[in-house]
Each structure stands twice: as structure tokens, then as C-alpha cells.
Coordinates of all heavy atoms in Angstrom, one line a residue:
L1 N -13.9 -19.7 -6.1 CA -12.8 -18.7 -6.5 C -11.9 -19.4 -7.4 O -11.0 -18.7 -7.9 CB -12.1 -18.3 -5.2 CG -12.8 -17.5 -4.2 CD1 -12.0 -17.2 -2.9 CD2 -13.3 -16.1 -4.8
Y2 N -12.1 -20.7 -7.8 CA -11.2 -21.3 -8.8 C -11.5 -20.7 -10.2 O -12.6 -20.4 -10.5 CB -11.4 -22.7 -8.7 CG -10.6 -23.5 -9.8 CD1 -9.2 -23.7 -9.5 CD2 -11.1 -24.0 -10.9 CE1 -8.4 -24.4 -10.5 CE2 -10.4 -24.7 -11.8 CZ -9.0 -24.9 -11.6 OH -8.3 -25.6 -12.5
D3 N -10.4 -20.5 -10.9 CA -10.5 -19.9 -12.3 C -11.1 -18.5 -12.3 O -11.9 -18.2 -13.2 CB -11.3 -20.8 -13.2 CG -11.0 -20.6 -14.6 OD1 -9.9 -20.0 -14.9 OD2 -11.9 -20.9 -15.5
T4 N -10.7 -17.8 -11.3 CA -11.1 -16.4 -11.2 C -9.9 -15.5 -10.9 O -9.0 -15.9 -10.2 CB -12.2 -16.1 -10.1 OG1 -11.6 -16.4 -8.8 CG2 -13.4 -17.0 -10.4
R5 N -9.9 -14.3 -11.4 CA -8.8 -13.4 -11.1 C -8.8 -13.0 -9.6 O -7.7 -12.8 -9.0 CB -8.8 -12.1 -12.0 CG -8.5 -12.5 -13.5 CD -8.4 -11.2 -14.3 NE -9.7 -10.6 -14.5 CZ -10.4 -10.7 -15.6 NH1 -9.9 -11.5 -16.6 NH2 -11.6 -10.2 -15.8
L6 N -10.0 -12.8 -9.1 CA -10.0 -12.5 -7.7 C -9.5 -13.5 -6.8 O -8.7 -13.2 -5.8 CB -11.5 -12.3 -7.3 CG -11.8 -11.9 -5.8 CD1 -11.1 -10.7 -5.3 CD2 -13.3 -11.9 -5.5
G7 N -9.7 -14.8 -7.1 CA -9.1 -15.9 -6.3 C -7.6 -15.8 -6.4 O -6.9 -16.0 -5.4
L8 N -7.0 -15.5 -7.6 CA -5.6 -15.4 -7.7 C -5.0 -14.2 -7.0 O -3.9 -14.4 -6.3 CB -5.2 -15.4 -9.2 CG -3.7 -15.5 -9.5 CD1 -3.2 -16.9 -9.1 CD2 -3.6 -15.3 -11.0
V9 N -5.8 -13.1 -6.9 CA -5.3 -11.9 -6.2 C -5.2 -12.3 -4.7 O -4.3 -11.9 -4.0 CB -6.2 -10.8 -6.5 CG1 -6.0 -9.6 -5.4 CG2 -6.1 -10.3 -7.9
L10 N -6.3 -12.9 -4.1 CA -6.3 -13.2 -2.7 C -5.1 -14.2 -2.4 O -4.5 -14.0 -1.3 CB -7.6 -13.9 -2.3 CG -8.9 -13.0 -2.5 CD1 -10.1 -13.7 -2.1 CD2 -8.7 -11.7 -1.6
I11 N -4.8 -15.1 -3.2 CA -3.7 -16.0 -2.9 C -2.4 -15.2 -2.9 O -1.5 -15.3 -2.0 CB -3.5 -17.1 -4.0 CG1 -4.7 -18.1 -3.9 CG2 -2.2 -17.9 -3.8 CD1 -4.8 -19.1 -4.9
Y12 N -2.2 -14.3 -3.8 CA -1.0 -13.5 -3.9 C -0.9 -12.5 -2.6 O 0.2 -12.3 -2.1 CB -0.9 -12.6 -5.1 CG -0.6 -13.4 -6.4 CD1 -0.9 -12.9 -7.6 CD2 -0.1 -14.7 -6.3 CE1 -0.6 -13.6 -8.8 CE2 0.1 -15.5 -7.4 CZ -0.1 -14.9 -8.7 OH 0.1 -15.6 -9.8
V13 N -2.0 -12.0 -2.2 CA -2.0 -11.2 -1.0 C -1.6 -12.0 0.2 O -0.8 -11.5 1.0 CB -3.4 -10.6 -0.8 CG1 -3.5 -9.9 0.6 CG2 -3.8 -9.6 -1.9
G14 N -2.0 -13.2 0.3 CA -1.6 -14.1 1.4 C -0.1 -14.4 1.3 O 0.5 -14.6 2.4
L15 N 0.4 -14.5 0.1 CA 1.8 -14.9 0.0 C 2.8 -13.7 0.3 O 3.8 -13.9 0.9 CB 2.0 -15.4 -1.5 CG 1.4 -16.8 -1.9 CD1 1.7 -17.1 -3.3 CD2 2.1 -17.9 -1.0
F16 N 2.4 -12.5 -0.1 CA 3.3 -11.4 -0.1 C 3.1 -10.4 1.1 O 3.9 -9.6 1.3 CB 3.2 -10.6 -1.4 CG 3.4 -11.4 -2.6 CD1 2.6 -11.3 -3.7 CD2 4.4 -12.4 -2.7 CE1 2.7 -12.1 -4.9 CE2 4.5 -13.2 -3.8 CZ 3.7 -13.0 -5.0
S17 N 2.0 -10.6 1.8 CA 1.7 -9.7 2.9 C 2.7 -9.9 4.0 O 3.1 -8.9 4.7 CB 0.2 -9.9 3.4 OG -0.7 -9.4 2.5
P18 N 3.1 -11.1 4.4 CA 4.0 -11.2 5.6 C 5.3 -10.5 5.4 O 5.8 -9.7 6.2 CB 4.3 -12.7 5.7 CG 3.0 -13.3 5.1 CD 2.6 -12.5 4.0
F19 N 5.9 -10.6 4.2 CA 7.1 -9.8 3.9 C 6.9 -8.4 3.9 O 7.7 -7.6 4.4 CB 7.8 -10.3 2.6 CG 9.0 -9.4 2.2 CD1 10.2 -9.7 2.8 CD2 8.9 -8.5 1.2 CE1 11.3 -8.9 2.4 CE2 9.9 -7.7 0.8 CZ 11.1 -7.9 1.4
G20 N 5.8 -7.9 3.3 CA 5.5 -6.5 3.3 C 5.3 -5.9 4.7 O 5.7 -4.8 5.0
T21 N 4.6 -6.7 5.5 CA 4.4 -6.3 6.9 C 5.8 -6.1 7.7 O 6.0 -5.1 8.4 CB 3.5 -7.2 7.7 OG1 2.3 -7.3 7.0 CG2 3.2 -6.8 9.1
L22 N 6.6 -7.1 7.6 CA 7.9 -7.1 8.2 C 8.8 -5.9 7.7 O 9.4 -5.2 8.5 CB 8.7 -8.4 8.0 CG 8.1 -9.6 8.7 CD1 8.9 -10.9 8.2 CD2 8.1 -9.5 10.2
L23 N 8.7 -5.7 6.4 CA 9.6 -4.6 5.8 C 9.0 -3.2 6.3 O 9.8 -2.3 6.7 CB 9.5 -4.6 4.3 CG 10.5 -3.7 3.6 CD1 11.0 -4.4 2.3 CD2 9.9 -2.4 3.2
L24 N 7.7 -3.0 6.3 CA 7.1 -1.7 6.7 C 7.2 -1.5 8.2 O 7.4 -0.4 8.7 CB 5.6 -1.7 6.3 CG 5.3 -1.4 4.9 CD1 3.8 -1.4 4.6 CD2 6.0 -0.1 4.4
R25 N 7.2 -2.6 9.0 CA 7.4 -2.4 10.5 C 8.8 -2.0 10.7 O 9.0 -1.1 11.6 CB 7.1 -3.7 11.2 CG 7.4 -3.7 12.7 CD 7.2 -5.0 13.3 NE 7.5 -4.9 14.7 CZ 8.8 -5.1 15.2 NH1 9.8 -5.4 14.4 NH2 9.0 -5.0 16.5
A26 N 9.8 -2.6 10.1 CA 11.1 -2.2 10.2 C 11.3 -0.7 9.8 O 12.1 0.0 10.4 CB 12.1 -3.1 9.5
F27 N 10.6 -0.3 8.7 CA 10.7 1.0 8.3 C 10.1 2.0 9.3 O 10.7 3.1 9.5 CB 10.0 1.2 6.9 CG 10.1 2.5 6.3 CD1 11.2 3.0 5.6 CD2 9.0 3.4 6.5 CE1 11.2 4.2 5.0 CE2 9.1 4.7 5.9 CZ 10.2 5.1 5.2
M28 N 9.0 1.6 9.9 CA 8.3 2.5 10.8 C 9.1 2.7 12.1 O 9.0 3.7 12.8 CB 6.9 2.0 11.1 CG 5.9 2.2 10.0 SD 4.2 2.0 10.7 CE 4.2 3.2 12.0
L29 N 9.9 1.7 12.5 CA 10.6 1.8 13.7 C 11.7 2.9 13.7 O 12.2 3.4 14.7 CB 11.3 0.5 14.1 CG 10.3 -0.7 14.5 CD1 11.1 -2.0 14.7 CD2 9.6 -0.3 15.7
G30 N 12.1 3.3 12.4 CA 13.0 4.3 12.2 C 12.4 5.7 12.1 O 13.1 6.7 12.1
L31 N 11.1 5.8 12.1 CA 10.4 7.1 12.0 C 10.3 7.7 13.4 O 10.0 7.0 14.4 CB 9.0 6.9 11.4 CG 9.0 6.5 10.0 CD1 7.6 6.3 9.5 CD2 9.8 7.4 9.0
P32 N 10.5 9.0 13.6 CA 10.3 9.7 14.9 C 8.8 9.7 15.2 O 7.9 9.8 14.4 CB 10.8 11.1 14.6 CG 10.7 11.3 13.2 CD 10.9 10.0 12.5
K33 N 8.6 9.6 16.6 CA 7.3 9.6 17.1 C 6.8 10.9 17.6 O 5.6 11.0 18.0 CB 7.3 8.6 18.4 CG 7.7 7.2 18.0 CD 7.6 6.4 19.3 CE 8.0 4.9 19.0 NZ 8.0 4.1 20.2
E34 N 7.6 12.0 17.4 CA 7.2 13.3 18.0 C 5.9 13.8 17.3 O 5.0 14.4 18.0 CB 8.3 14.3 17.8 CG 9.4 14.1 18.8 CD 10.3 13.0 18.4 OE1 10.2 12.4 17.3 OE2 11.2 12.6 19.2
M35 N 5.9 13.7 16.0 CA 4.6 14.2 15.3 C 3.4 13.4 15.6 O 2.3 14.0 15.7 CB 4.9 14.2 13.8 CG 5.9 15.1 13.3 SD 6.1 15.2 11.5 CE 6.7 13.5 11.2
E36 N 3.5 12.1 15.8 CA 2.3 11.3 16.2 C 1.9 11.7 17.6 O 0.7 11.8 17.8 CB 2.7 9.8 16.2 CG 3.2 9.4 14.8 CD 3.9 8.0 14.9 OE1 3.4 7.2 15.7 OE2 4.8 7.7 14.1
E37 N 2.9 11.9 18.5 CA 2.5 12.3 19.9 C 1.8 13.7 19.8 O 0.9 14.0 20.6 CB 3.7 12.3 20.8 CG 4.3 10.9 21.0 CD 5.6 10.9 21.7 OE1 6.1 12.0 21.9 OE2 6.1 9.8 22.0
A38 N 2.3 14.6 19.0 CA 1.7 15.9 18.9 C 0.3 15.9 18.4 O -0.6 16.6 18.9 CB 2.6 16.9 18.0
A39 N 0.0 15.0 17.4 CA -1.3 14.8 16.9 C -2.2 14.2 18.0 O -3.4 14.6 18.0 CB -1.2 13.9 15.7
R40 N -1.8 13.3 18.8 CA -2.6 12.8 19.8 C -2.9 13.8 20.9 O -4.0 13.8 21.4 CB -1.9 11.6 20.4 CG -1.8 10.4 19.5 CD -1.3 9.1 20.3 NE -1.2 8.0 19.4 CZ 0.0 7.6 18.8 NH1 1.1 8.4 19.0 NH2 0.0 6.6 18.0
V41 N -1.9 14.7 21.2 CA -2.2 15.8 22.1 C -3.3 16.7 21.6 O -4.1 17.2 22.4 CB -0.9 16.5 22.4 CG1 -1.2 17.8 23.2 CG2 0.1 15.7 23.1
D42 N -3.4 16.9 20.3 CA -4.4 17.7 19.7 C -5.7 17.1 19.6 O -6.7 17.7 19.1 CB -3.9 18.2 18.3 CG -2.8 19.1 18.3 OD1 -2.6 19.8 19.4 OD2 -2.1 19.3 17.4
G43 N -5.8 15.8 20.0 CA -7.1 15.1 20.1 C -7.3 14.1 18.9 O -8.5 13.7 18.8
A44 N -6.3 13.9 18.1 CA -6.5 13.0 17.0 C -6.5 11.5 17.5 O -5.8 11.2 18.4 CB -5.3 13.1 16.0
G45 N -7.4 10.7 16.9 CA -7.4 9.3 17.2 C -6.4 8.5 16.4 O -5.7 9.1 15.6
E46 N -6.4 7.2 16.7 CA -5.3 6.4 16.0 C -5.5 6.3 14.5 O -4.5 6.3 13.8 CB -5.4 5.0 16.6 CG -4.9 4.8 18.1 CD -3.4 5.2 18.2 OE1 -2.7 5.1 17.2 OE2 -3.1 5.6 19.4
L47 N -6.8 6.3 14.0 CA -7.0 6.2 12.6 C -6.6 7.5 12.0 O -5.9 7.5 10.9 CB -8.5 6.0 12.3 CG -8.8 5.8 10.9 CD1 -8.1 4.6 10.2 CD2 -10.3 5.6 10.7

């Protein structure tokens, strides 16, 4: 992967994913759960 654009992309993903995960988790904690629960009642899976 040395001297390849794919190798550089994978490094950047490893560098920036932790902050992105923390930010999106904090964002999701503020979203209401009612619509998700309604979808599960209708038989929807997690995906």
C-alpha cells in the first residue's frame, strides 16, 4: 500500500474515524427514539 492513493485513504480513515464516531454518537443521543420504536413494531430490522 506504500505509494498508493488507497493506502493514504486508509490511513486517513483510521485517523479521522474516532472523532467522527464520537461526534455522531453525541448527535444521535439527541434524536428521539419514537420513530425507531415504531419501525421495530412494524417488523423492521436494525439495518
Side-chain angles (χ1 to χ4, degrees):
L1 295 173
Y2 178 74
D3 198 23
T4 62
R5 289 188 289 262
L6 176 61
L8 191 61
V9 167
L10 294 178
I11 291 175
Y12 289 164
V13 171
L15 288 177
F16 306 137
S17 291
F19 174 77
T21 302
L22 293 174
L23 191 146
L24 285 180
R25 178 184 176 273
F27 182 84
M28 283 196 61
L29 291 176
L31 296 178
K33 300 181 180 179
E34 287 76 10
M35 291 186 294
E36 303 168 32
E37 295 173 353
R40 292 190 181 95
V41 170
D42 292 338
E46 291 296 335
L47 184 60

